[in-house]
Amino acid sequence: MKIAVVGATGLVGTKMLEVLAERDFPVTELIPVASERSAGKKVLFRGKEYTVVTPQRAIELKPQVALFSAGAGTSDEWAPKFAAAGCRVVDNSSRWRMEQGIKLIVPEVNGNTLTDSDMIIANPNCSTIQMVVALNLLHTNFKLRRIIVSTYQSVTGSGIKGINQLTNERAANFQADTKGETSSSAYPYQIDMNLIPQIDLFLENGYTKEEMKMVNETKKIMGDESIAVSATTVRVPVVGGHSESVNAEFEKPFELKDILRILKESPGVVLSDEKSETPYPMPLFAQNRDEVFVGRVRRDLSCENAINMWVVSDNLRKGAATNAVQIAELFL
Ligand code: A2P
């Protein structure tokens, strides 16, 4: 397959290249795409150098599949143009996710709904992906009524700017020798030695866009508008991945042992317990892995038919690049 990666110089785009190579995706020709600023730069893929081109040039090169991770503005402008040229687009931005007629896909959950006529396919928000992978089979068995989720999200979710801000602040705070590359900030407040209970912009209802993404995308992916979702999303000074405290209430009663068994059987899920490498999942250990790690599973003592659990995954991998490549694999 001739494949374009739009945003190939960014954090997620770089991960996409890594994941394509690792999973032996049959790439016959790679077209790395970025803004005018980066045209002519080289990126490395499977030990070979490729020249970065602009989106317009990429369309002329006629890719069959394009993985987009260059922001919602770029997706808004360019995804329809790629699709019109006969190229299937997997879009990691928020632009097309809630658009009617566009599928929002997590392969383990609703990959079977993809059809030949889908030209633009949306990749969900990173926090939503790991949550629905963990909850999918539990929903099938016990029917979700309500989810209350609080997130602890890595700075890698803000691209290179997020990492740079944390690195710069840490260097300044500890007077270390290493300094980040730029001084431009990703967040309105210091993130090192802090946390920020705001991800993306505030909406009129008092929630942030990130929180409402978790609410709306969960219903769309699971194909069930009746699932109630309440989210609080928080940025923390962590690099490895996103963590989530998930409280899930089900309509049907359950035995905890059945919840554990189903989680163990769930595709893409690793259940952490006393016998695992670590007794519960942590972002440092999830980094560069594709699985969704689940631990601290316990009955909610305050609510009938509800559980609490802790869900961790590398937001750049399963939360973005790996999920996008898995969608592209469905085209094969
Ligand atoms: P560039 O490096 O030329 O700015 P991140 O999320 O890590 O900041 O990365 C964003 C990615 O999106 C980068 O590869 C960036 O390219 C790319 N990008 C930004 N704006 C455009 C655009 N208008 N057209 C194509 N790619 C873009």
Side-chain angles (χ1 to χ4, degrees), residues 118-140:
D118 293 314
M119 291 307 286
I120 300 178
I121 297 99
N123 205 43
N125 168 265
C126 44
S127 312
T128 312
I129 292 179
Q130 67 185 71
M131 186 171 80
V132 298
V133 167
L135 287 173
N136 182 41
L137 283 191
L138 297 177
H139 176 51
T140 310

Side-chain angles (χ1 to χ4, degrees), residues 7-11 34-35 37-38 55 69-70 74 159-160:
T9 53
L11 216 47
S35 72
R37 294 181 290 280
S38 305
S69 192
T74 305
I160 289 163

Side-chain angles (χ1 to χ4, degrees), residues 5 16 81 105-106 125 153 156 166 175 188 201-202 212 214 274 280 282 299:
V5 174
M16 284 169 164
K81 293 181 182 164
I105 298 290
V106 177
N125 168 265
Q153 297 185 216
T156 54
L166 178 62
Q175 296 176 336
L201 302 173
F202 278 105
M212 292 314 294
M214 293 194 79
E274 314 77 58
Y280 34 74
M282 287 178 272
R299 196 177 268 284

